[in-house]
Amino acid sequence: MSLTSRFLFTPPTIKLSPSLPPSSAFSPLITPSLPSNSINPSFLRFARVFSSSKPTATPTTTMGDAPDAGMDAVQRRLMFDDECILVDENDRVVGHDSKYNCHLWENILKGNALHRAFSVFLFNSKHELLLQQRSKTKVTFPLVWTNTCCSHPLYRESELIDEDVLGVRNAAQRKLFDELGIPAKDVPVDQFSPLGRILYKAPSDGKWGEHELDYLLFIVRDVSVNPNPDEVADIKYVNQDELKELLRKADAGEEGLKLSPWFRLVVDNFLFKWWDHVEKGTLEEAAEMKTIHKLT
């Protein structure tokens, strides 16, 4: 199966906001045809991200105007090429904008940057949770420890599907590969369990921040992991007691350990009671997708 076919899904019906372009405005992902012995692993990791054709948008900031001369080249490209899905506080799609504009704190304060996101919590068969430390080159929250994978469904056909949270699950599968090198076959989209949604706002520094309507996805799978250093500085599996020790160290300011604000919100409000369902094999009993928990 090709990279393209592993990540794209064609739904029977897609309900889009009137502000969105018709389906003909979307183009399938295309990757160049190369001899199998000439493909660079880094190309495989990023080809899908940079080759996709996206709907036309009118960004408020362009790459040439950006004052962020010191921004890592990979992160810069993602910040300007990726189009996040703008939503209202009821999770209705209202438009789209660049990842750059959605994470500018001045835009967040103006109320113009609420967008969909997801947070994946991946457990192995021993019921240990995979954590990642974000790369030092990340624009927001560099070097903080967080859950397995945190990112955004993009403004593209396969990731705008509301039915059965399929668009978000497609995006989660894509980013687990991009960030952690986890193959699609290891994380089938039908194995993700959406358990809830949270709405939160958090500053990163004086310029950047997050304002997200975040889907919380749990999955229990033994997977092959090959972290992408442009995205991930370190990884570790932890059991409940080991996570509690990390929390203690973060609270005490030991070892310079920091946790992402969205991860801490999930830990403080949901994680351990949901972890018990992971161990019992009863995740479906924990799911509650009708409520949007406002934790801002």
Side-chain angles (χ1 to χ4, degrees):
M1 184 180 292
S2 69
L3 282 172
T4 301
S5 60
R6 290 193 310 190
F7 289 88
L8 291 180
F9 300 83
T10 303
T13 304
I14 302 174
K15 296 181 179 180
L16 300 179
S17 164
S19 64
L20 303 181
S23 59
S24 60
F26 295 88
S27 299
L29 301 179
I30 301 171
T31 55
S33 176
L34 296 174
S36 60
N37 63 357
S38 68
I39 299 178
N40 186 299
S42 62
F43 167 79
L44 286 175
R45 193 180 302 282
F46 295 111
R48 295 188 325 283
V49 175
F50 302 145
S51 63
S52 63
S53 176
K54 299 182 177 66
T56 301
T58 305
T60 58
T61 309
T62 65
M63 187 169 176
D65 296 333
D68 309 286
M71 190 184 295
D72 173 81
V74 171
Q75 297 301 323
R76 174 183 286 271
R77 195 167 186 182
L78 292 172
M79 290 292 276
F80 285 94
D81 285 2
D82 282 359
E83 289 282 319
C84 294
I85 302 168
L86 298 177
V87 294
D88 63 19
E89 291 193 353
N90 294 309
D91 200 17
R92 291 187 292 254
V93 177
V94 296
H96 59 102
D97 206 345
S98 69
K99 185 177 176 183
Y100 183 99
N101 288 329
C102 287
H103 291 83
L104 283 172
W105 190 242
E106 62 180 285
N107 287 344
I108 293 171
L109 293 178
K110 293 175 183 176
N112 299 328
L114 178 60
H115 56 281
R116 274 187 189 158
F118 62 82
S119 291
V120 174
F121 293 75
L122 184 148
F123 299 81
N124 61 20
S125 57
K126 295 188 289 185
H127 304 139
E128 297 169 324
L129 173 61
L130 179 60
L131 303 181
Q132 70 154 278
Q133 184 184 32
R134 291 163 64 87
S135 167
K136 67 179 181 181
T137 62
K138 296 290 285 186
V139 175
T140 58
F141 303 98
L143 293 178
V144 304
W145 282 91
T146 192
N147 50 283
T148 312
C149 180
C150 326
S151 192
H152 316 88
L154 299 182
Y155 190 83
R156 57 176 61 166
E157 190 168 11
S158 63
E159 298 181 14
L160 282 161
I161 307 167
D162 286 332
E163 185 177 359
D164 296 326
V165 196
L166 182 57
V168 174
R169 290 188 283 124
N170 286 343
Q173 186 188 64
R174 171 178 59 83
K175 286 302 291 184
L176 283 168
F177 179 78
D178 289 345
E179 293 191 2
L180 293 160
I182 298 175
K185 65 180 179 60
D186 286 2
V187 284
V189 292
D190 62 358
Q191 294 299 301
F192 291 102
S193 296
L195 296 189
R197 292 177 291 174
I198 65 172
L199 193 156
Y200 77 96
K201 182 186 299 182
S204 175
D205 54 24
K207 178 168 185 173
W208 306 103
E210 293 283 6
H211 192 200
E212 297 183 330
L213 202 154
D214 194 10
Y215 284 70
L216 308 179
L217 306 178
F218 275 45
I219 184 168
V220 183
R221 303 281 293 184
D222 288 322
V223 298
S224 172
V225 183
N226 181 26
N228 169 11
D230 286 313
E231 297 283 348
V232 178
D234 198 3
I235 60 170
K236 65 171 69 178
Y237 280 96
V238 295
N239 59 32
Q240 292 199 37
D241 289 337
E242 289 166 336
L243 178 56
K244 289 174 183 177
E245 176 62 11
L246 285 178
L247 297 174
R248 185 197 66 78
K249 288 182 178 179
D251 289 343
E254 295 180 13
E255 301 175 10
L257 193 147
K258 296 181 180 180
L259 303 177
S260 73
W262 60 89
F263 179 47
R264 191 59 192 256
L265 286 171
V266 176
V267 169
D268 291 345
N269 289 276
F270 309 107
L271 181 58
F272 289 110
K273 63 182 178 182
W274 287 352
W275 205 323
D276 290 340
H277 284 286
V278 170
E279 295 178 349
K280 295 174 185 177
T282 57
L283 271 178
E284 67 281 357
E285 296 179 11
E288 208 290 278
M289 293 298 295
K290 291 183 179 179
T291 302
I292 298 172
H293 300 275
K294 296 184 179 180
L295 305 179
T296 304

mmCIF file with all atom_site columns, all heavy atoms in Angstrom, residues 65-76:
data_model
loop_
_atom_site.group_PDB
_atom_site.id
_atom_site.type_symbol
_atom_site.label_atom_id
_atom_site.label_alt_id
_atom_site.label_comp_id
_atom_site.label_asym_id
_atom_site.label_entity_id
_atom_site.label_seq_id
_atom_site.pdbx_PDB_ins_code
_atom_site.Cartn_x
_atom_site.Cartn_y
_atom_site.Cartn_z
_atom_site.occupancy
_atom_site.B_iso_or_equiv
_atom_site.pdbx_formal_charge
_atom_site.auth_seq_id
_atom_site.auth_comp_id
_atom_site.auth_asym_id
_atom_site.auth_atom_id
_atom_site.pdbx_PDB_model_num
ATOM 1  N N   . ASP A 1 65 ? 6.880  38.178 5.390  1.00 0.00 ? 65 ASP A N   1
ATOM 2  C CA  . ASP A 1 65 ? 6.697  39.254 6.356  1.00 0.00 ? 65 ASP A CA  1
ATOM 3  C C   . ASP A 1 65 ? 7.119  38.870 7.767  1.00 0.00 ? 65 ASP A C   1
ATOM 4  O O   . ASP A 1 65 ? 7.221  39.704 8.643  1.00 0.00 ? 65 ASP A O   1
ATOM 5  C CB  . ASP A 1 65 ? 5.217  39.672 6.407  1.00 0.00 ? 65 ASP A CB  1
ATOM 6  C CG  . ASP A 1 65 ? 4.750  40.255 5.087  1.00 0.00 ? 65 ASP A CG  1
ATOM 7  O OD1 . ASP A 1 65 ? 5.601  40.794 4.365  1.00 0.00 ? 65 ASP A OD1 1
ATOM 8  O OD2 . ASP A 1 65 ? 3.549  40.158 4.792  1.00 0.00 ? 65 ASP A OD2 1
ATOM 9  N N   . ALA A 1 66 ? 7.310  37.571 8.002  1.00 0.00 ? 66 ALA A N   1
ATOM 10 C CA  . ALA A 1 66 ? 7.538  37.095 9.365  1.00 0.00 ? 66 ALA A CA  1
ATOM 11 C C   . ALA A 1 66 ? 8.869  37.589 9.899  1.00 0.00 ? 66 ALA A C   1
ATOM 12 O O   . ALA A 1 66 ? 9.891  37.503 9.222  1.00 0.00 ? 66 ALA A O   1
ATOM 13 C CB  . ALA A 1 66 ? 7.499  35.576 9.390  1.00 0.00 ? 66 ALA A CB  1
ATOM 14 N N   . PRO A 1 67 ? 8.872  38.092 11.126 1.00 0.00 ? 67 PRO A N   1
ATOM 15 C CA  . PRO A 1 67 ? 10.114 38.565 11.721 1.00 0.00 ? 67 PRO A CA  1
ATOM 16 C C   . PRO A 1 67 ? 10.922 37.450 12.368 1.00 0.00 ? 67 PRO A C   1
ATOM 17 O O   . PRO A 1 67 ? 11.966 37.704 12.940 1.00 0.00 ? 67 PRO A O   1
ATOM 18 C CB  . PRO A 1 67 ? 9.612  39.540 12.789 1.00 0.00 ? 67 PRO A CB  1
ATOM 19 C CG  . PRO A 1 67 ? 8.301  38.972 13.207 1.00 0.00 ? 67 PRO A CG  1
ATOM 20 C CD  . PRO A 1 67 ? 7.702  38.364 11.960 1.00 0.00 ? 67 PRO A CD  1
ATOM 21 N N   . ASP A 1 68 ? 10.447 36.208 12.279 1.00 0.00 ? 68 ASP A N   1
ATOM 22 C CA  . ASP A 1 68 ? 11.060 35.102 13.012 1.00 0.00 ? 68 ASP A CA  1
ATOM 23 C C   . ASP A 1 68 ? 12.227 34.506 12.230 1.00 0.00 ? 68 ASP A C   1
ATOM 24 O O   . ASP A 1 68 ? 12.191 33.354 11.789 1.00 0.00 ? 68 ASP A O   1
ATOM 25 C CB  . ASP A 1 68 ? 10.013 34.030 13.296 1.00 0.00 ? 68 ASP A CB  1
ATOM 26 C CG  . ASP A 1 68 ? 8.778  34.632 13.932 1.00 0.00 ? 68 ASP A CG  1
ATOM 27 O OD1 . ASP A 1 68 ? 8.845  34.985 15.114 1.00 0.00 ? 68 ASP A OD1 1
ATOM 28 O OD2 . ASP A 1 68 ? 7.774  34.778 13.220 1.00 0.00 ? 68 ASP A OD2 1
ATOM 29 N N   . ALA A 1 69 ? 13.256 35.272 12.072 1.00 0.00 ? 69 ALA A N   1
ATOM 30 C CA  . ALA A 1 69 ? 14.391 34.826 11.276 1.00 0.00 ? 69 ALA A CA  1
ATOM 31 C C   . ALA A 1 69 ? 15.084 33.627 11.891 1.00 0.00 ? 69 ALA A C   1
ATOM 32 O O   . ALA A 1 69 ? 15.694 32.824 11.193 1.00 0.00 ? 69 ALA A O   1
ATOM 33 C CB  . ALA A 1 69 ? 15.394 35.973 11.111 1.00 0.00 ? 69 ALA A CB  1
ATOM 34 N N   . GLY A 1 70 ? 15.006 33.484 13.208 1.00 0.00 ? 70 GLY A N   1
ATOM 35 C CA  . GLY A 1 70 ? 15.683 32.383 13.867 1.00 0.00 ? 70 GLY A CA  1
ATOM 36 C C   . GLY A 1 70 ? 14.866 31.106 13.921 1.00 0.00 ? 70 GLY A C   1
ATOM 37 O O   . GLY A 1 70 ? 15.325 30.106 14.478 1.00 0.00 ? 70 GLY A O   1
ATOM 38 N N   . MET A 1 71 ? 13.666 31.084 13.369 1.00 0.00 ? 71 MET A N   1
ATOM 39 C CA  . MET A 1 71 ? 12.820 29.901 13.417 1.00 0.00 ? 71 MET A CA  1
ATOM 40 C C   . MET A 1 71 ? 13.421 28.776 12.601 1.00 0.00 ? 71 MET A C   1
ATOM 41 O O   . MET A 1 71 ? 13.913 28.991 11.484 1.00 0.00 ? 71 MET A O   1
ATOM 42 C CB  . MET A 1 71 ? 11.414 30.237 12.895 1.00 0.00 ? 71 MET A CB  1
ATOM 43 C CG  . MET A 1 71 ? 10.386 29.145 13.124 1.00 0.00 ? 71 MET A CG  1
ATOM 44 S SD  . MET A 1 71 ? 8.770  29.545 12.390 1.00 0.00 ? 71 MET A SD  1
ATOM 45 C CE  . MET A 1 71 ? 8.278  30.969 13.358 1.00 0.00 ? 71 MET A CE  1
ATOM 46 N N   . ASP A 1 72 ? 13.435 27.579 13.149 1.00 0.00 ? 72 ASP A N   1
ATOM 47 C CA  . ASP A 1 72 ? 13.909 26.402 12.439 1.00 0.00 ? 72 ASP A CA  1
ATOM 48 C C   . ASP A 1 72 ? 13.181 26.272 11.097 1.00 0.00 ? 72 ASP A C   1
ATOM 49 O O   . ASP A 1 72 ? 11.982 26.512 10.999 1.00 0.00 ? 72 ASP A O   1
ATOM 50 C CB  . ASP A 1 72 ? 13.660 25.173 13.312 1.00 0.00 ? 72 ASP A CB  1
ATOM 51 C CG  . ASP A 1 72 ? 13.964 23.880 12.607 1.00 0.00 ? 72 ASP A CG  1
ATOM 52 O OD1 . ASP A 1 72 ? 15.145 23.508 12.538 1.00 0.00 ? 72 ASP A OD1 1
ATOM 53 O OD2 . ASP A 1 72 ? 13.009 23.246 12.108 1.00 0.00 ? 72 ASP A OD2 1
ATOM 54 N N   . ALA A 1 73 ? 13.927 25.864 10.047 1.00 0.00 ? 73 ALA A N   1
ATOM 55 C CA  . ALA A 1 73 ? 13.363 25.834 8.696  1.00 0.00 ? 73 ALA A CA  1
ATOM 56 C C   . ALA A 1 73 ? 12.177 24.880 8.592  1.00 0.00 ? 73 ALA A C   1
ATOM 57 O O   . ALA A 1 73 ? 11.171 25.191 7.937  1.00 0.00 ? 73 ALA A O   1
ATOM 58 C CB  . ALA A 1 73 ? 14.446 25.436 7.692  1.00 0.00 ? 73 ALA A CB  1
ATOM 59 N N   . VAL A 1 74 ? 12.254 23.715 9.224  1.00 0.00 ? 74 VAL A N   1
ATOM 60 C CA  . VAL A 1 74 ? 11.158 22.764 9.169  1.00 0.00 ? 74 VAL A CA  1
ATOM 61 C C   . VAL A 1 74 ? 9.925  23.327 9.875  1.00 0.00 ? 74 VAL A C   1
ATOM 62 O O   . VAL A 1 74 ? 8.812  23.288 9.357  1.00 0.00 ? 74 VAL A O   1
ATOM 63 C CB  . VAL A 1 74 ? 11.567 21.416 9.800  1.00 0.00 ? 74 VAL A CB  1
ATOM 64 C CG1 . VAL A 1 74 ? 10.360 20.497 9.951  1.00 0.00 ? 74 VAL A CG1 1
ATOM 65 C CG2 . VAL A 1 74 ? 12.639 20.738 8.953  1.00 0.00 ? 74 VAL A CG2 1
ATOM 66 N N   . GLN A 1 75 ? 10.129 23.891 11.068 1.00 0.00 ? 75 GLN A N   1
ATOM 67 C CA  . GLN A 1 75 ? 9.006  24.455 11.809 1.00 0.00 ? 75 GLN A CA  1
ATOM 68 C C   . GLN A 1 75 ? 8.409  25.652 11.080 1.00 0.00 ? 75 GLN A C   1
ATOM 69 O O   . GLN A 1 75 ? 7.189  25.838 11.059 1.00 0.00 ? 75 GLN A O   1
ATOM 70 C CB  . GLN A 1 75 ? 9.451  24.852 13.221 1.00 0.00 ? 75 GLN A CB  1
ATOM 71 C CG  . GLN A 1 75 ? 9.926  23.688 14.067 1.00 0.00 ? 75 GLN A CG  1
ATOM 72 C CD  . GLN A 1 75 ? 8.857  22.624 14.251 1.00 0.00 ? 75 GLN A CD  1
ATOM 73 O OE1 . GLN A 1 75 ? 7.673  22.937 14.383 1.00 0.00 ? 75 GLN A OE1 1
ATOM 74 N NE2 . GLN A 1 75 ? 9.257  21.365 14.250 1.00 0.00 ? 75 GLN A NE2 1
ATOM 75 N N   . ARG A 1 76 ? 9.248  26.466 10.457 1.00 0.00 ? 76 ARG A N   1
ATOM 76 C CA  . ARG A 1 76 ? 8.753  27.610 9.689  1.00 0.00 ? 76 ARG A CA  1
ATOM 77 C C   . ARG A 1 76 ? 7.835  27.140 8.566  1.00 0.00 ? 76 ARG A C   1
ATOM 78 O O   . ARG A 1 76 ? 6.749  27.693 8.351  1.00 0.00 ? 76 ARG A O   1
ATOM 79 C CB  . ARG A 1 76 ? 9.938  28.397 9.123  1.00 0.00 ? 76 ARG A CB  1
ATOM 80 C CG  . ARG A 1 76 ? 9.520  29.529 8.174  1.00 0.00 ? 76 ARG A CG  1
ATOM 81 C CD  . ARG A 1 76 ? 10.740 30.238 7.593  1.00 0.00 ? 76 ARG A CD  1
ATOM 82 N NE  . ARG A 1 76 ? 11.353 31.089 8.600  1.00 0.00 ? 76 ARG A NE  1
ATOM 83 C CZ  . ARG A 1 76 ? 11.009 32.358 8.804  1.00 0.00 ? 76 ARG A CZ  1
ATOM 84 N NH1 . ARG A 1 76 ? 10.039 32.897 8.097  1.00 0.00 ? 76 ARG A NH1 1
ATOM 85 N NH2 . ARG A 1 76 ? 11.607 33.067 9.727  1.00 0.00 ? 76 ARG A NH2 1
#
